[in-house]
Amino acid sequence: MTDATHIETAEILIVGAGPAGSVAAALLRQQGRQVLVIEREQFPRFSIGESLLPQSMAYLEQAGMLQAVVEAGFQFKNGAAFMRNGRYTDFDFRDKHTAGWGTTYQVQRADFDHVLAKGAERFGAEVRYRHEVVNIELGQGANGGARVTVKDADGQQYQVDAGFILDASGFGRILPRLLKLETPSNFPVRGAIFTHIEDGIRGGGFDRNKIRVTVHPEHCDVWFWTIPFAGGRCSLGVVAETGFLDRYQGSATERLQAIVAEEPSLQALLAEARWDTPARQIVGYSANVEKLWGQGYALLGNAGEFLDPVFSSGVTIAFKSASMAAAALQRQFAGETVDWQADYGAPLRKGVDTFRAFVESWYAGGFQKIIFHENQQPEVKRMISAILAGYAWDLSNPFVKETSRRLAALEAVCTPE
């Protein structure tokens, strides 16, 4: 396997064993396809993005992984809460416009992703850890597929002729980089500083069944996440444009602590916290691509587009893309002609663009006016709740069908004269 002249074959090669790759692998194995997954890291490994959306549960169920996730003992989640200058509002995802799951989990991604990868292996996918894709030549493999060069854990290279490639490499964005598919994001360059802490939260003033998003008291485009885990721990982070984050000195932990100290409710909530894990920082994570598919390949999840962490949409988009790509491949292997733009690219982008409009409105301040408005209409709130729960592809929801127009009209109603 370490012989560069030796060429293996794979019916479908998946780059990355994260949520998108593992779910796609399980779905394709259920179709009887031969699947090889190339994963650069050794699992379990740390990853950010711990708060799932209820829509994702349907894809776990479809992939045959739901029981394993339920039995892993993750923190139950039923909604999202928001704080701004002492004002609190929340959404219960069980009360929503769209039918389907209304609850989910908040997960340590190292454990969650490992559960999914083991599930893919249980269905018969081969997962090679500490192997890295270093080159892809489209159309150069056997039968017109791609020839993929892989480096193993010992640094030796070998080649795989793949009939089809699914790039689920996340922020690694292997195919977009190798094929020069990346385009600039229209979002400002933002960064996040984050850690896991023993939160020390006591009493009933904090709903552990909800992620809490707290807005900085002076800057509406700076916000904190507090994601409770089972066992008294939580994920804590701040998101802001890099110019804001660069004002603070010291280690990543010291900088995060200094910014948290500027928000009184969050500082009080975490007064007894034990900061036992060094903080990390990532910058410039938002990304776009020219297209989500091409001859012999498709991009899944964050490998295609990543918007922003504010509404925790990343894993849901990853699962949705895996499900859609597996369905398109099932038809293709059955001999049908698949229009990948009509059947995959365009419909996937529709939901992504719905999330995008909400993200843009959040940072501009308009969506914050909506969710903190005193006189919320129950039916409108249920429509918004459905999207925050991940149902961004449900065209029966007016806020999906006409996202930007509906948000603008609602913002105008919620803006004081």
Side-chain angles (χ1 to χ4, degrees):
M1 204 171 71
T2 58
D3 182 357
T5 64
H6 173 66
I7 301 175
E8 303 181 37
T9 60
E11 198 169 29
I12 300 172
L13 186 143
I14 299 177
V15 186
S22 292
V23 165
L27 292 171
L28 290 163
R29 282 297 304 142
Q30 291 171 48
Q31 298 174 18
R33 307 268 69 88
Q34 184 238 336
V35 178
L36 172 63
V37 182
I38 301 297
E39 169 54 52
R40 184 178 60 183
E41 306 290 341
Q42 180 65 53
F43 280 24
R45 55 88 177 95
F46 181 87
S47 184
I48 200 66
E50 301 104 339
S51 198
L52 306 183
L53 302 183
Q55 167 77 95
S56 64
M57 302 295 280
Y59 302 117
L60 291 172
E61 195 169 23
Q62 180 188 17
M65 296 177 169
L66 183 59
Q67 181 177 343
V69 170
V70 169
E71 292 180 352
F74 297 117
Q75 170 65 46
F76 177 79
K77 174 185 174 182
N78 62 20
F82 298 86
M83 285 284 294
R84 187 183 67 182
N85 290 323
R87 188 178 180 88
Y88 177 91
T89 188
D90 65 17
F91 290 82
D92 186 328
F93 292 156
R94 295 165 295 187
D95 184 19
K96 63 186 187 313
H97 170 84
T98 305
W101 283 85
T103 62
T104 186
Y105 296 100
Q106 297 176 145
V107 300
Q108 291 95 331
R109 283 286 302 279
D111 298 332
F112 177 72
D113 290 10
H114 200 199
V115 167
L116 301 190
K118 287 188 292 186
E121 290 180 296
R122 189 176 69 251
F123 280 108
E126 180 181 358
V127 182
R128 294 181 185 170
Y129 296 103
R130 297 179 62 204
H131 286 224
E132 182 178 2
V133 171
V134 295
N135 191 44
I136 295 175
E137 298 174 278
L138 295 177
Q140 298 303 305
N143 301 317
R147 179 153 294 175
V148 181
T149 303
V150 182
K151 182 172 65 175
D152 69 14
D154 297 320
Q156 300 297 311
Q157 293 188 359
Y158 62 97
Q159 293 183 318
V160 180
D161 278 1
F164 199 92
I165 298 176
L166 293 176
D167 185 354
S169 60
F171 293 125
R173 300 172 62 76
I174 299 299
L175 270 176
R177 286 192 294 104
L178 292 176
L179 302 182
K180 296 180 172 53
L181 301 174
E182 296 180 301
T183 59
S185 170
N186 61 338
F187 291 129
V189 178
R190 295 189 176 96
I193 307 175
F194 53 89
T195 188
H196 288 179
I197 61 175
E198 184 179 309
D199 56 60
I201 299 171
R202 306 286 183 263
F206 182 59
D207 186 348
R208 299 196 75 89
N209 295 332
K210 293 178 175 64
I211 180 177
R212 180 176 293 195
V213 173
T214 306
V215 183
H216 190 281
E218 297 178 14
H219 308 279
C220 76
D221 61 342
V222 177
W223 62 276
F224 306 85
W225 75 71
T226 312
I227 302 173
F229 296 140
R233 297 187 64 78
C234 76
S235 174
L236 172 69
V238 63
V239 174
E241 292 189 27
T242 51
F244 179 90
L245 298 177
D246 290 344
R247 301 176 192 174
Y248 298 84
Q249 303 299 313
S251 67
T253 299
E254 291 168 337
R255 294 163 68 206
L256 179 56
Q257 290 173 325
I259 303 171
V260 167
E262 296 177 357
E263 210 299 311
S265 69
L266 192 56
Q267 176 78 344
L269 185 70
L270 301 176
E272 304 298 323
R274 190 164 69 90
W275 296 64
D276 55 6
T277 305
R280 309 181 186 202
Q281 179 171 348
I282 55 174
V283 173
Y285 40 73
S286 297
N288 292 341
V289 289
E290 292 177 357
K291 55 183 181 177
L292 295 171
W293 62 277
Q295 185 63 41
Y297 73 86
L299 309 180
L300 306 184
N302 293 349
E305 296 203 27
F306 182 73
L307 299 174
D308 189 273
V310 65
F311 299 126
S312 306
S313 60
V315 173
T316 298
I317 293 172
F319 286 164
K320 178 70 173 180
S321 64
S323 177
M324 293 178 67
L329 282 169
Q330 183 172 30
R331 293 176 50 217
Q332 187 163 298
F333 277 104
E336 297 182 37
T337 300
V338 175
D339 183 335
W340 276 86
Q341 179 59 20
D343 297 339
Y344 179 75
L348 180 59
R349 278 195 193 273
K350 174 57 183 172
V352 172
D353 287 345
T354 297
F355 282 124
R356 186 193 312 280
F358 273 70
V359 170
E360 290 173 345
S361 182
W362 167 267
Y363 282 107
F367 187 65
Q368 295 180 34
K369 294 176 184 177
I370 292 169
I371 62 173
F372 287 108
H373 194 265
E374 293 181 355
N375 300 314
Q376 298 180 356
Q377 298 300 310
E379 184 54 34
V380 172
K381 185 171 183 178
R382 293 181 74 246
M383 294 175 186
I384 292 173
S385 181
I387 293 171
L388 296 182
Y391 295 92
W393 290 267
D394 175 17
L395 292 174
S396 76
N397 186 339
F399 283 87
V400 173
K401 190 173 183 179
E402 302 176 300
T403 311
S404 297
R405 188 179 75 81
R406 290 279 182 167
L407 275 176
L410 190 54
E411 179 185 342
V413 171
C414 296
T415 302
E417 294 184 2

